[in-house]
Amino acid sequence: MTTPSSDVLMSFEDAIATFDPVMGLEVHVELNTLTKMFCGCPTEFGAAPNTQVCPVCLGLPGALPVVNQKAVESAIRIGLALGCSIAPWSRFARKNYFYPDMPKDFQTSQYDEPIAFNGALDIVVETDDGPQSITLGIERAHMEEDTGKISHLGGATGRIHGADYSLIDYNRAGVPLIEIVTKPIEVEPALAPAVARAYVTELRELIVALGVSDAHMHQGSMRVDANLSLKPRGRAEFGTRTETKNVNSIRSVERAVRFEIQRQAVVLSSGGTIVQETRHFHENDGSTTSGRVKEEAEDYRYFPEPDLTPVAPDEAWVESLRATLPESPLLRRARIREEWGLSEHEMQSLINAGALDLVEQTVALGADPADARKWWTGEIARISNERGLDVAVLPITPADVHRIIVLTSDGALNDKLARQVIEGVLAGEGGPDEVVASRGLAVVSDDGALLEAIDAALAAQPDVADKIRDGKVQAAGAIVGAVMKATAGKADAARVRELILRRVSGA
Amino acid sequence: MSDLTRLDASETAAAVAAGEVTAREVAGAHLDRIEQTDEAVHAFVHVDRELTLAAADAVDAARASGGPLGPLAGVPLALKDVFTMRGAPTTCGSKILDGWRPPYDATVVERLRDAGVVVLGKTNMDEFAMGSSTENSAYGVTHNPWNLERIPGGSSGGSSAAVAARQAPLAIGTDTGGSIRQPAAVTGIVGVKPTYGAVSRYGLVAFSSSLDQGGPFARSVLDAALLHEVMAGHDPRDATSIDAPVPPVAAAARGELGGVDGLKVGVVTQLQGEGYQPGVQARFDEVVQLLTSLGADVVEVSCPSFDYALPAYYLIAPSECSSNLARFDGMRYGLRAGDDGKNGVEQVMAITRAEGFGPEVKRRIMLGTYALSAGYYDAYYGQAQKVRTLIRRDFEAAYRDVDVLLSPTTPTVAFPIGERADDPVAMYKADLATLPSSLYGGPAMSLPAGLGDDDLPVGVQLMAAVQRDEQVYRVGAALESALQERWGGPLLDRIPELATGGAA
Amino acid sequence: MPALDRDDVAHLARLSRLQLTDAERDHYGEQLDVILAAVARVAEVAADDVPPTTHAVPVVNVTRPDVVVPCLSREDVLSGAPAAEDDRFRVPRILDEEEQ
Ligand SMILES: [Mg+2]
Ligand SMILES: [Zn+2]
């Protein structure tokens, strides 16, 4: 097996100077239905092993599947949100192959008759010339079931190679999945990695807006397989593709595509050939390594699932589901950008920080958009980066941030104190008011105490007082700093400056 | 009561309801009969006296407390070992499931329990229901009570033998291509394949999902109808279960829908003549004459696509079975072989399946795998499903003109054990006449038509349109009573007495 | 259709996860040839414009509500397991990789 470090890569710039990358992205989304695709077992994440299992999802002899109505509705809603046609008649098929995490040794999926097909998704990519809007084609979205979870034991811990044996928990077996497949993506070569990232970001937002999945990539409720091939510039036919799996974050999608472009480029330009195979992405160094070589096209012997009836949504049903679609994330962003008066760039950094929803909710509580943005994409985003967590999962709510904004604009807090309040809230010390009270963080609003500190500072720096008297008002900053220091940052700087000027002018 | 094993199910149920006999006594008499005769017949693969008597006691207790009793309360039944039942093993005649005790009940088993039917045990079968002779079982061969050297039919041969041997008045089988009707025919009893979807398949270990159908065995048409009504009905756990009222089969069997006078009966050209034994053809011709004499209007009907039923069936059923049987891989239940710590999972699966499956199952799995392969799907599986449409059209055209169709059930009487064991194609011909209605999905019944070659039973098959199950019972009951009048009693009265051994 | 040679049977056996000896391969190859020759007759019926039939009673949209029903107890789940450890099914090492 080739180790990541032994792979020689071509520089990205050289690679895209010679080759045109062609991508295909397959995204599996675990639906948040209460029950599994074909049985009534709960789908909750994290239950004790093999406690959410019944004869159906354990594939016991004699058990039969029955389709979850809600899963079909979610599939149709996803299809509609992606602008797909909804098949008036679609079917489940069996995809036959043996694998121990699959209780029936076939996956019930959809094959040539998917529920949704032929759609499109608009994405926005940052380029050197500013944001660029690109439309990607959606080949299909279909329903299928998830597999159980395998843990490899013995040998090199956790790795399939060298493991002595494996243990299987079938709780996840049968959880409904929607697989969304793009049409081949051919964009400006330099943009390919960013396009992959933007697609997954946009799709994830859409899924979340639809409320059909948590779409947590780190928990595996949204999983991305990236297919990539290169063709020499000017050639029409596609090259051999690889399929990179295990891509567990949005950032990794971009890295994986970039890596494969560089790796395939060096293989091809040194006269080698690309092997059709699955590859595995490694978070630590952003590399991919060879998985299973597909010596021959796997023969899945698909045939219509005889235990299930066709799914044939009539127009009325489809239209009633269409009526439940939320505003598309793209339109919503355009609306918000206009309402808040943001530049495209400001909007993009808001999205990149994963804070759009949170800011919107904070604004909905009455906060000024600028203030809300300042805190979510500033101090809170900084901490989330530090901790390597999404902003959304930090234990601070839009209501907390709104309260902090109110306290700040009332003058009860200054920015420095507000940052301490955020820190306290994140440390689990309670809501903003509780943190203010317990940490004693109120701004010193007693002019007498401030004047005392000002007098002391002016006395210590008589030359500064003279400068101010001479009209060099900006020199007051040094006194403000001294006062802030003396009050341990609890003073309102604006008020201090005002008092200094008054004092010096003798008013 | 003198001999409880000679009573019909309806008589037994009436006697239990009237308090003339307890369910425990009835069950005990049948358990004794099994003990005495099953060494020779080998109909059962699992009998649990305690469990059976406990079920009988529950019926007696319900009666004692004045609770409502089902129409078959207290009647014993032999269950084909292809249905799951808690408290008993389910093997499907396969070594690969040796010792497996399912943690859940089939819907059919739930319904039996609710109806107060007492399950005596599980009956032998061709492995995973693949076969027509019950020779393909990992648990031994079942013998025909009419002649122990002969096959009892298959795949539900344990169930048919149990009823013919008076080990049980009722039995349940499954029919994928004829596995109820053919065993019924060769053992001289009544067997019915209901309309596909009438009886829930939940808990029926699948052979061919689009064809499998559970159904009753009995010694009379009425008994079969009573059991049919207990078994059938919509089940939300089976997506292919029919969500409509069960046709009035018991009323039809009692003659309440009328006899055959004025009914139109079609004789299928393609299902007689060449390939049918003289004795089979003779009994069949007599039935046709009898129906005419009863006032039926018998006409000849041609169904040309029926000639393709055999090849279509032997593509569809193996294809589905190759997928249905994939799960027997030694990972979650049943046999695991070759797990020596060195072999990887793929090898362990392959060794397990090689050891666990018999030759017929392997043959069909490979045949089905081939038929579904890329490049062959359209020519084989796809084309077979189209043939199915042509067969359906033939049936639909026929039922525009006639009420039921008629044919011999099997081309021959029970053949000698071992005769076709290594000739799959010859074996497959046992199902020639039963396959068309399996592919179509309509109801079909086999009932005794007399004795043919070698003094062995011959069956006649009645077929009706989808969801018109009452039609086969109506005609079947009329025919049964006319035939028994002619014979001076049930055909089964002529079965040679079995030597009884074991403890009495 | 061409006759099945030993390699064809080996391929089918591998797809089906059936370990066969050479003798078995030959034996099944011969039998499958005979059966395939018999069933290939379905191709005689020209059926270009004929739709396939999958079920006796064609129904669509048979679904169940998204309502939780009780699961099996873990004891029941693992009761048939040839090997179990840590409340999970223990299976032999997996040499190749294949994920969905
Ligand atoms: Mg898939
Ligand atoms: Zn389940």
Side-chain angles (χ1 to χ4, degrees), chain A residues 36 39-41 52-54 56-57:
Chain A
K36 294 186 180 181
C39 66
C41 290
Q52 298 183 344
V53 176
C54 74
V56 178
C57 56

Side-chain angles (χ1 to χ4, degrees), chain A residues 26 28 95 107 109 142 144 177 179 302, chain C residues 100:
Chain A
E26 292 174 20
H28 285 88
K95 180 180 184 180
Q107 183 192 34
S109 180
H142 72 247
E144 59 183 36
L177 291 178
E179 180 175 337
Y302 283 100
Chain C
Q100 287 319 289

Side-chain angles (χ1 to χ4, degrees), chain B residues 161-306:
Chain B
V163 172
R166 288 190 289 109
Q167 295 172 333
L170 297 174
I172 284 177
T174 58
D175 190 311
T176 304
S179 285
I180 291 175
R181 291 161 286 163
Q182 183 257 10
V186 300
T187 56
I189 62 173
V190 178
V192 179
K193 180 195 89 74
T195 295
Y196 178 87
V199 174
S200 170
R201 291 185 296 118
Y202 190 80
L204 189 183
V205 180
F207 160 24
S208 178
S209 309
S210 73
L211 299 167
D212 294 343
Q213 186 59 205
F217 284 107
R219 294 196 288 260
S220 76
V221 171
L222 176 60
D223 282 1
L226 294 173
L227 180 53
H228 185 128
E229 291 196 348
V230 166
M231 295 173 72
H234 181 240
D235 179 9
R237 289 179 297 192
D238 175 358
T240 62
S241 160
I242 295 171
D243 190 3
V246 178
V249 294
R254 290 193 184 96
E256 290 166 17
L257 306 185
V260 295
D261 191 16
L263 273 189
K264 285 193 85 169
V265 177
V267 171
V268 184
T269 313
Q270 284 76 10
L271 301 181
Q272 53 176 317
E274 203 197 325
Y276 290 80
Q277 263 179 351
V280 171
Q281 188 68 43
R283 295 296 86 74
F284 178 69
D285 293 340
E286 286 163 19
V287 165
V288 170
Q289 283 161 17
L290 186 58
L291 280 170
T292 310
S293 72
L294 292 172
D297 182 4
V298 182
V299 296
E300 180 129 342
V301 173
S302 179
C303 299
S305 302
F306 286 14

Side-chain angles (χ1 to χ4, degrees), chain A residues 424-497:
Chain A
V425 171
L426 291 176
E429 293 167 23
D433 290 305
E434 285 167 88
V435 176
V436 165
S438 64
R439 291 196 177 191
L441 294 177
V443 160
V444 179
S445 51
D446 172 2
D447 282 359
L450 292 178
L451 284 170
E452 221 170 275
I454 289 169
D455 287 344
L458 287 172
Q461 303 178 69
D463 53 322
V464 177
D466 290 343
K467 280 185 190 164
I468 299 170
R469 272 187 215 99
D470 291 349
K472 292 186 174 147
V473 181
Q474 64 273 29
I479 305 299
V480 173
V483 172
M484 293 305 284
K485 199 173 174 189
T487 58
K490 291 181 188 174
D492 175 352
R495 178 68 184 154
V496 172
R497 174 177 295 269

Side-chain angles (χ1 to χ4, degrees), chain B residues 381-402:
Chain B
Y381 189 78
Q383 185 73 10
Q385 296 281 46
K386 289 178 170 187
V387 167
R388 211 167 164 178
T389 303
L390 300 176
I391 288 169
R392 175 168 57 80
R393 286 176 182 171
D394 276 357
F395 271 112
E396 284 167 356
Y399 293 131
R400 278 195 283 277
D401 295 330
V402 302

Side-chain angles (χ1 to χ4, degrees), chain B residues 31-100:
Chain B
L31 288 166
D32 291 347
R33 173 80 181 164
I34 293 167
E35 223 164 89
Q36 290 158 1
T37 57
D38 212 39
E39 213 174 296
V41 178
H42 192 48
F44 286 85
V45 290
H46 178 79
V47 177
D48 184 337
R49 186 172 270 268
E50 302 302 311
L51 203 71
T52 302
L53 293 178
D57 288 346
V59 174
D60 290 330
R63 187 185 172 276
S65 67
L69 289 180
L72 291 174
V75 179
L77 176 141
L79 183 65
K80 185 176 182 178
D81 197 22
V82 73
F83 287 95
T84 62
M85 183 170 89
R86 266 184 179 274
T90 295
T91 66
C92 301
S94 183
K95 190 179 163 193
I96 212 161
L97 275 180
D98 195 7
W100 183 57

Side-chain angles (χ1 to χ4, degrees), chain A residues 243-262:
Chain A
E243 183 177 8
T244 303
K245 298 188 174 260
N246 287 356
V247 192
N248 290 332
S249 75
I250 284 175
R251 197 168 78 96
S252 300
V253 175
E254 182 169 4
R255 293 170 78 205
V257 167
R258 200 180 172 89
F259 184 91
E260 269 302 285
I261 290 175
Q262 293 177 257

